[in-house]
Amino acid sequence: MDARVKPGHDEGPLMTKPLISIEALARRYPKHGGGETTVFQDVWLPIRKGEFVCLIGHSGCGKTTILNVLAGLDQPSAGVVIVDGREISGPSLDRAVIFQGHSLLPWMTVMQNVAFAVTSRRPDWRKDKVRAHCQKYIDVVHLTGSEHKKPAELSGGMKQRVGIARALAIEPKMLLMDEPFSALDALTRGSLQDEVRRICTATEQTVFMITHDIDEAMLLADRIVLMTNGPEAKIAEIVENTLPKDRQRTDIHKHANYYALRNHLLDFLVTRSKTFASEIGAKGYDPRHPPVVRPGAKPTAVETEPPKAASA
Amino acid sequence: MERSLSLRAAILSLAILAGLIGAWHFATLPTTGAAGDVDPEYAALVSGSAAEGQKSAFPTPADVGATLWKHLKDPFYVRGANDQGVGIQLAYSLGRVLVGYGLAALVAIPLGFLIGMSPLVYRALDPFIQILKPISPLAWMPLALYTIKDSGISAVFVIFICSLWPMLINTAFGVASVRKEWLNVAATLEVGPLRKAFRVILPAAAPTIMTGMRISIGIAWLVIVAAEMLVGGTGIGYFVWNEWNNLSIGNILTAILLIGLVGMILDVALARTARLVAYRE
Ligand SMILES: Nc1ncnc2c1ncn2[C@@H]1O[C@H](COP(=O)(O)OP(=O)(O)OP(=O)(O)O)[C@@H](O)[C@H]1O
Ligand SMILES: [Mg+2]
């Protein structure tokens, strides 16, 4: 792991072919007295394959809107989302969504909910094949034995796990999660975070996740995208996770970089998210390349050229 | 706890029933000394003095019980066009209700579905529905008789009209207010329109649709009695009207009781069906 402060302009080999790319995204609403309010604007963010990206920002800055645009459920006022070199035009089975609030279909059992998604993805599969495939993912989220329960008979954590199983079972290219654990108690949240991390690292799943929880972001994310407060929210900076890849919930706080990273994120949420506008006035700010920071990593040198063994 | 409550409620119901029958019994007691020859007395009283006559014309609970038993023993007799068993009359009424109601469901549910799916159609048809809905179904009767020229079919038509609105409105409302999240789930899964309609929208709206169907059957059963009084011929409404002309209060009371019972059975049947499609969120 090399430690450096990237100037943010490196379009290295990893940056050249993102799986999905948010470009110049903006969302405006007509104001009451006339004119427009801009919720966010000029949001640029490439997401690479296999990467886990967390988006943090205060309530109302437009996080859900960005996720819905990525999902194809919402249209931006300006800008595009590019997947495979093409602008997305609507929802796709390639981008599975885990909604805030489970959004299971309450008249279907756990198995039927998952199977509904799988048959959408694989209309040609026979019933027993669909069933076996669903069972695999129900087992992955540790819901074996609850296949025939209705969502109303499940606890909040179990419902959220069904939502995860449903999303994973369609084997999407990308997983979009909107505060998936925010409604859960700390214990359930912890174990679900562990499960998601295990599954996503094992399958090298590309994930875009919204969260309010700094510790969750530090555990799960490779990159943490910080948004300023709305209106006219923008990406303030991108924080690279400086904790080791094999971090565990139980020992994450023992790592040398833990407090540097945590304090940086906290400081941003508490003060800098408000004052960022004046901060960039002094330094100059390129929305296409927001500053990338690596808290805790010793800035041994500001490299002019990234070394070949860049962190992957 | 639960069981003792329903037991106590049942006991209270029986007590109230006994109280009502007792009050009825004592209210009708004095003038029914000669119980044997009721009918000529009735006939005499129609033209007789009002105050005393009305009192004694009203049968005692025992009379009505006997009449009810007589009807229940032989509900399906046919002795000419104007004298048929109460079971047959009820069957005529039920038949008309079920045909009119069934046709209304066939029209209202698919149409309501389309209206609910399209905000444009919803808005466009709303004024028509709002104006047509509050019209008493019996107001259509002359129009129906004039155009259809068949009293039986006219009654069915009136049932059709009165059952239509609650089902149409509830279906449209249920479909239009399916939770956005569920539609988003269908959208992200790229579910086709037909599959979305049958696997997501229909089950989601089913409880609301069933509520409409339950309201409709209640209204239809209310209206059929009045409609049959107008068109005559057959049916429990006609029976009541006919017995009024015969001044046979016992028969009328029997019919009223049976109308209530059938209405309750229809309602319970639909409530049971509604439970099948209900879901907890
Ligand atoms: N129809 C609308 N008209 C005007 N403004 C709207 C409308 N819908 C949403 N907004 C605004 O868009 C902004 C972004 O909403 P969004 O749901 O994306 O926020 P969020 O960042 O996800 O917040 P939270 O963290 O609370 O979920 C909000 O400030 C909201 O006021
Ligand atoms: Mg949100």
Side-chain angles (χ1 to χ4, degrees):
Chain A
M1 285 266 156
D2 60 332
R4 66 188 192 280
V5 175
K6 283 186 199 160
H9 277 275
D10 62 335
E11 294 206 325
L14 292 167
M15 297 291 276
T16 48
K17 228 189 151 252
L19 177 72
I20 188 163
S21 178
I22 300 171
E23 302 187 354
L25 217 60
R27 167 61 119 184
R28 301 188 182 89
Y29 285 107
K31 234 192 272 191
H32 264 305
E36 281 184 327
T37 27
T38 303
V39 179
F40 58 85
Q41 63 182 6
D42 237 345
V43 170
W44 295 73
L45 181 71
I47 299 170
R48 280 161 256 155
K49 192 173 179 308
E51 192 179 30
F52 201 124
V53 175
C54 270
L55 182 63
I56 293 189
H58 277 280
S59 189
C61 70
K63 303 181 298 295
T64 298
T65 313
I66 292 178
L67 185 126
N68 282 346
V69 171
L70 281 177
L73 294 169
D74 200 350
Q75 270 76 46
S77 311
V80 288
V81 174
I82 308 279
V83 179
D84 289 333
R86 240 179 285 149
E87 185 182 330
I88 62 163
S89 55
S92 159
L93 280 158
D94 286 337
R95 281 166 277 125
V97 188
I98 296 174
F99 296 92
Q100 177 170 18
H102 55 87
S103 75
L104 302 175
L105 304 178
W107 53 88
M108 294 186 186
T109 63
V110 169
M111 177 59 92
Q112 286 167 336
N113 263 291
V114 181
F116 184 63
V118 172
T119 37
S120 304
R121 176 68 152 189
R122 320 267 184 198
D124 51 325
W125 277 12
R126 289 216 323 278
K127 260 211 173 94
D128 46 343
K129 188 162 183 196
V130 170
R131 177 166 280 272
H133 186 83
C134 295
Q135 189 65 54
K136 187 173 114 193
Y137 283 95
I138 291 173
D139 294 347
V140 164
V141 296
H142 301 303
L143 279 176
T144 321
S146 300
E147 293 87 350
H148 302 297
K149 287 191 180 149
K150 296 266 173 76
E153 300 165 87
L154 304 176
S155 72
M158 291 163 93
K159 281 184 222 169
Q160 203 56 270
R161 272 186 274 172
V162 181
I164 294 170
R166 178 173 67 184
L168 292 174
I170 59 179
E171 297 176 336
K173 288 192 184 144
M174 185 170 189
L175 212 52
L176 304 171
M177 300 197 254
D178 190 354
E179 301 187 38
F181 312 126
S182 61
L184 305 176
D185 64 280
L187 262 177
T188 318
R189 192 186 315 149
S191 67
L192 271 186
Q193 285 165 353
D194 285 340
E195 274 173 43
V196 163
R197 177 157 168 78
R198 178 172 53 80
I199 296 161
C200 290
T201 32
T203 57
E204 295 196 320
Q205 182 72 54
T206 313
V207 186
F208 178 83
M209 176 167 133
I210 295 171
T211 178
H212 272 125
D213 182 344
I214 289 178
D215 295 296
E216 181 169 283
M218 286 166 64
L219 178 67
L220 296 175
D222 302 317
R223 288 195 299 155
I224 301 161
V225 178
L226 301 177
M227 277 186 86
T228 63
N229 292 0
E232 294 183 32
K234 48 180 81 63
I235 295 181
E237 57 186 32
I238 294 172
V239 177
E240 296 211 339
N241 198 332
T242 42
L243 298 171
K245 260 272 175 199
D246 61 348
R247 56 189 175 268
Q248 299 288 326
R249 162 188 324 288
T250 44
D251 60 14
I252 190 171
H253 58 281
K254 292 181 190 141
H255 195 270
N257 288 345
Y258 177 79
Y259 285 102
L261 182 59
R262 195 166 198 286
N263 290 342
H264 184 89
L265 295 173
L266 205 56
D267 182 43
F268 179 84
L269 280 185
V270 174
T271 52
R272 287 179 57 221
S273 60
K274 287 193 278 286
T275 59
F276 190 76
S278 55
E279 196 179 306
I280 56 172
K283 273 197 287 190
Y285 168 82
D286 177 6
R288 296 188 67 152
H289 303 284
V292 178
V293 291
R294 319 188 72 223
K298 289 174 211 74
T300 44
V302 177
E303 284 149 36
T304 44
E305 207 147 338
K308 265 270 169 287
S311 57
Chain B
M1 211 37 208
E2 187 69 9
R3 234 183 98 191
S4 83
L5 181 68
S6 46
L7 186 70
R8 270 153 50 207
I11 292 170
L12 187 59
S13 295
L14 285 175
I16 292 172
L17 180 67
L20 286 175
I21 291 178
W24 175 12
H25 177 75
F26 286 111
T28 49
L29 204 52
T31 44
T32 43
D37 50 350
V38 196
D39 276 325
E41 200 178 341
Y42 281 0
L45 285 164
V46 183
S47 49
S49 65
E52 201 201 338
Q54 240 141 34
K55 223 177 181 183
S56 59
F58 211 86
T60 63
D63 295 336
V64 175
T67 318
L68 182 62
W69 178 240
K70 188 191 82 195
H71 282 300
L72 291 183
K73 242 184 1 193
D74 186 16
F76 297 113
Y77 70 86
V78 180
R79 286 181 217 120
N82 281 342
D83 190 10
Q84 304 189 21
V86 75
I88 290 197
Q89 305 288 22
L90 275 173
Y92 273 119
S93 301
L94 259 180
R96 284 184 191 126
V97 163
L98 292 183
V99 171
Y101 176 83
L103 288 175
L106 283 182
V107 172
I109 293 172
L111 190 63
F113 216 93
L114 294 178
I115 295 174
M117 296 273 266
S118 156
L120 176 71
V121 182
Y122 201 138
R123 289 253 192 118
L125 289 185
D126 196 51
F128 295 98
I129 295 174
Q130 294 307 331
I131 289 176
L132 290 171
K133 184 182 67 167
I135 298 173
S136 164
L138 295 175
W140 294 98
M141 186 62 97
L143 214 59
L145 287 170
Y146 175 74
T147 44
I148 301 172
K149 295 186 174 67
D150 180 296
S151 60
I153 299 179
S154 294
V156 171
F157 173 77
V158 166
I159 295 303
F160 170 83
I161 283 288
C162 75
S163 323
L164 192 67
W165 309 118
M167 284 196 269
L168 188 68
I169 291 165
N170 268 50
T171 307
F173 176 76
V175 168
S177 50
V178 172
R179 290 253 297 267
K180 188 90 199 324
E181 295 160 38
W182 300 336
L183 296 176
N184 279 348
V185 168
T188 54
L189 293 176
E190 294 186 63
V191 175
L194 264 186
R195 195 152 171 263
K196 185 170 93 179
F198 283 104
R199 296 293 309 277
V200 180
I201 297 174
L202 188 61
T208 320
I209 298 175
M210 279 311 301
T211 307
M213 294 182 75
R214 210 172 147 190
I215 297 170
S216 278
I217 198 82
I219 293 178
W221 190 243
L222 287 180
V223 165
I224 191 65
V225 175
E228 285 169 347
M229 283 182 175
L230 281 177
V231 297
T234 49
I236 195 71
Y238 168 73
F239 177 85
V240 170
W241 191 251
N242 202 29
E243 295 309 312
W244 160 244
N245 288 332
N246 295 340
L247 258 184
S248 168
I249 307 280
N251 281 338
I252 293 176
L253 285 173
T254 303
I256 286 175
L257 193 65
L258 291 175
I259 289 170
L261 268 174
V262 171
M264 189 185 80
I265 290 167
L266 288 175
D267 190 61
V268 167
L270 273 152
R272 287 274 161 83
T273 324
R275 224 177 294 161
L276 293 179
V277 298
Y279 54 84
R280 274 193 303 145
E281 279 181 38

